[in-house]
Amino acid sequence: MGNGGIISVLDEKTEALHVENHLGAPTAIDDLDSIELTQTGKFSWLISITAAIGGMLFGYDTGIISAVLVYLNEDLGHVLSAGEKELVTSITSGGAFFGAIIAGMTADRFGRKVAIYAGCALFILGAVLQACAYSLAQMTVGRLIVGLGVGSAAMIVPLYIAEVAPAKYRGRMIGLDNMSITGGQLVSYGIGAGLAHVSHGWRGMVAIGAIPAIILCCLLPLCPESPRQLIYHNKPEQAHRVIARIFPNGTELQVQQKVQHITIAVEEAKNMVAGKSTWWLLKQLYVVPGNLRALIAACGLMAISQLGGFNSLMYYSSTLFGIVGFKNPVAVGTIIAGTNFVFTWVNLMMVDRIGRRRILLCTMWGMALFLALAAVCFHWIPVNHDLSLKNDKVGWPADVVLVCMVFYVAFYSSGMGNTAWLSSEFFPMEVRAVGTMMLTCTCWGSNVIVASTFLTQMENTTPSGAFGFYAAICFFGWIAVYFCYPEVKGMTLEDIREIFNHGFGVQRARELQAEAKIQRKIQRNGDFGEKSSL
């Protein structure tokens, strides 16, 4: 078959319900995805694991700043005030906000891998500048550049993985990115504790952060561009080869049909955006009702995940546990990071089996409960307005706060911590890059709010008030998920767009899941019948 034979002849309208396969027989669009029912190989997992190293950039930086703030002392010319600590912490989130915007604006034009390379380069440069900083201004510039790199990688990596992953494993494969984030946090706490008593050890802490970026730069050439991007840039032959490696047990016809299916979605997307500016694309997120509902569901969950207190704990855990009276707060913070890592793995194992929505509904109430309990316990911890202890005798309330934080993190990591990043799958092809950009901007915008206000909020509303506020956000977020967050496990990216044409799609998603279950059962029975006849 010639190069042109890989893509079948499409109907004049890409929205048509049938296409012609290479033999000329009409085929339902939904039938073009039969390759998704075949057993996948190791290739897609290796791609996802490699790309997920980008998550360590986010995770390591989030965790290491907690230890750095404790051990900076006068190395930047003076002891940092609470406001200066908030600046050093939040400037990275601000940089990540703009890094995500730049990556989102260029992701379709230059492909997914270019943005990952750019993120790695910026992170390496920022890590070097931080390690060499001798003033607050130098440290701030280094943190800003790191933020640009983190934002670029955090926006592109889950998008790239979503586009190369088979539908039935997409949740788990994107979850590898979150495993990498939490793994980076755990490693950073271990390094922070290990270098705690080394003179100027914080410089080594930030410099080590460049290592995962260097590793990713070396391994990324082994990964292909996503099939959807290859077809978008008129390279169907390359897409054909990539799909054949992702689905090694698929037939030649099934590979061609998968290319057809993606081509239909890509052509529809290209027809919609032909001659349109990026600003026009961005507006489509708001003026098209289905896109707007997808945006609200995705960005709403992301905002709750960031404003619900978790990043306050990760950024300031060493400071927080020092406040409640623990003598080695960095080591105590490692318990939190370890819990986060373990339960992110739990989510990774469950998300494609149980589903995104059910996991959220089963975990978010627990976050609200244990934050509320921590708020109550802070009432018995004698803290001054400047967050110093009135005396060294804290006792049981500090232990209960630690237990509450461990349970809170367990509920967060097994639920919302990973699931919020899966929401990039909600967006149709034509707005997927800008939609994921908005999702990532929501993450970092919320991060800026949390990182720049937490210590001030603790001072002005007391620790009990701050944690009570976070508990309320988690509780009302739990209610919002029930009404506005549909279940999309096992659905292809091309099929997900249909559910948001029916409100927030909660009921429509249930119907499609039921239909898909029946189809899988018929497929299994058919396969069994064929084997029996042999």
Side-chain angles (χ1 to χ4, degrees):
M1 178 181 294
N3 291 342
I6 291 177
I7 301 179
S8 304
V9 179
L10 305 182
D11 287 335
E12 290 184 0
K13 295 183 179 180
T14 56
E15 298 85 357
L17 296 178
H18 294 80
V19 297
E20 294 179 2
N21 63 22
H22 75 302
L23 298 176
T27 305
I29 287 179
D30 289 342
D31 294 339
L32 297 179
D33 258 339
S34 62
I35 198 171
E36 292 282 356
L37 300 175
T38 65
Q39 186 64 36
T40 56
K42 298 178 180 178
F43 184 64
S44 57
W45 285 102
L46 292 175
I47 296 173
S48 300
I49 291 170
T50 300
I53 296 173
M56 289 198 73
L57 309 183
F58 178 9
Y60 187 87
D61 183 78
T62 301
I64 204 63
I65 192 60
S66 177
V68 169
L69 291 177
V70 174
Y71 300 117
L72 273 174
N73 299 320
E74 297 183 357
D75 286 359
L76 297 182
H78 62 279
V79 176
L80 300 187
S81 65
E84 288 171 331
K85 288 182 178 180
E86 289 176 337
L87 171 64
V88 168
T89 304
S90 63
I91 194 67
T92 299
S93 299
F97 180 88
F98 291 104
I101 292 176
I102 295 170
M105 294 295 187
T106 58
D108 284 334
R109 179 178 300 178
F110 300 109
R112 313 313 192 202
K113 290 175 63 177
V114 172
I116 299 177
Y117 278 122
C120 291
L122 288 168
F123 195 93
I124 294 168
L125 176 60
V128 172
L129 289 176
Q130 287 181 83
C132 299
Y134 284 91
S135 69
L136 178 61
Q138 290 174 314
M139 187 69 171
T140 301
V141 171
R143 296 284 299 163
L144 176 63
I145 294 175
V146 161
L148 291 170
V150 168
S152 177
M155 182 263 162
I156 291 295
V157 168
L159 175 62
Y160 173 68
I161 295 176
E163 291 188 341
V164 299
K168 58 187 172 184
Y169 296 130
R170 190 173 58 246
R172 271 177 273 183
M173 288 185 177
I174 297 177
L176 290 171
D177 183 46
N178 281 277
M179 281 296 298
S180 188
I181 291 172
T182 57
Q185 291 168 341
L186 180 59
V187 169
S188 71
Y189 274 86
I191 291 175
L195 297 179
H197 302 293
V198 176
S199 178
H200 307 294
W202 67 268
R203 297 187 186 278
M205 297 178 195
V206 295
I208 290 172
I211 294 177
I214 294 172
I215 293 174
L216 182 55
C217 280
C218 294
L219 294 179
L220 199 57
L222 303 177
C223 299
E225 185 57 87
S226 81
R228 289 167 178 84
Q229 275 296 295
L230 291 171
I231 292 175
Y232 187 87
H233 290 285
N234 301 315
K235 299 177 181 178
E237 295 80 14
Q238 293 183 35
H240 183 277
R241 290 194 291 270
V242 173
I243 291 171
R245 296 187 69 184
I246 292 174
F247 299 98
N249 295 306
T251 66
E252 178 68 14
L253 174 60
Q254 287 177 318
V255 173
Q256 292 168 11
Q257 288 177 336
K258 183 64 175 178
V259 174
Q260 276 187 319
H261 195 189
I262 295 175
T263 301
I264 292 169
V266 169
E267 289 299 323
E268 182 177 354
K270 291 175 76 171
N271 289 337
M272 291 181 64
V273 304
K276 304 296 194 302
S277 66
T278 304
W279 176 245
W280 182 90
L281 272 179
L282 191 60
K283 287 195 297 184
Q284 299 314 295
L285 284 173
Y286 298 92
V287 300
V288 176
N291 292 346
L292 179 60
R293 287 188 285 266
L295 184 70
I296 292 172
C299 293
L301 182 65
M302 180 60 78
I304 295 166
S305 74
Q306 304 303 308
L307 297 175
F310 177 76
N311 278 316
S312 300
L313 188 60
M314 295 311 296
Y315 287 136
Y316 298 107
S317 62
S318 298
T319 303
L320 178 65
F321 290 126
I323 289 171
V324 300
F326 288 102
K327 301 301 182 183
N328 193 345
V330 175
V332 175
T334 305
I335 298 174
I336 299 298
T339 302
N340 187 28
F341 181 77
V342 169
F343 282 91
T344 299
W345 178 261
V346 172
N347 178 281
L348 187 69
M349 294 295 100
M350 296 191 306
V351 67
D352 283 324
R353 298 174 183 173
I354 297 178
R356 289 83 158 133
R357 173 182 166 84
R358 186 178 299 175
I359 285 178
L360 290 171
L361 293 176
C362 290
T363 56
M364 290 178 68
W365 65 268
M367 294 168 56
L369 173 63
F370 285 102
L371 282 172
L373 289 176
V376 172
C377 290
F378 269 112
H379 177 72
W380 282 279
I381 297 178
V383 179
N384 294 313
H385 181 267
D386 62 356
L387 301 183
S388 61
L389 282 173
K390 293 180 180 179
N391 58 68
D392 294 333
K393 296 180 180 180
V394 178
W396 65 267
D399 295 329
V400 176
V401 166
L402 176 59
V403 171
C404 287
M405 291 299 96
V406 168
F407 276 96
Y408 162 75
V409 170
F411 277 104
Y412 175 88
S413 332
S414 58
M416 186 161 50
N418 180 40
T419 308
W421 287 100
L422 301 184
S423 302
S424 61
E425 62 192 1
F426 283 176
F427 301 109
M429 175 72 186
E430 66 271 14
V431 294
R432 188 171 299 144
V434 292
T436 306
M437 177 193 75
M438 292 301 298
L439 179 69
T440 312
C441 287
T442 300
C443 168
W444 293 113
S446 302
N447 253 291
V448 170
I449 295 172
V450 167
S452 62
T453 61
F454 177 66
L455 295 179
T456 302
Q457 185 179 11
M458 291 267 285
E459 289 177 349
N460 294 332
T461 67
T462 74
S464 292
F467 280 82
F469 174 75
Y470 294 145
I473 289 177
C474 292
F475 177 75
F476 288 110
W478 178 52
I479 295 174
V481 165
Y482 180 82
F483 291 103
C484 301
Y485 200 90
E487 181 56 72
V488 297
K489 71 168 183 173
M491 299 174 64
T492 66
L493 294 176
E494 285 69 35
D495 292 336
I496 289 174
R497 67 182 300 156
E498 198 267 337
I499 66 173
F500 286 102
N501 293 327
H502 302 265
F504 279 98
V506 174
Q507 182 58 39
R508 179 58 178 160
R510 288 196 191 103
E511 295 170 358
L512 292 177
Q513 293 288 343
E515 293 172 7
K517 186 175 181 181
I518 294 172
Q519 184 179 3
R520 287 193 298 269
K521 185 175 180 180
I522 294 173
Q523 178 75 19
R524 285 195 298 267
N525 291 339
D527 292 342
F528 178 77
E530 290 178 5
K531 292 178 181 178
S532 298
S533 64
L534 295 175

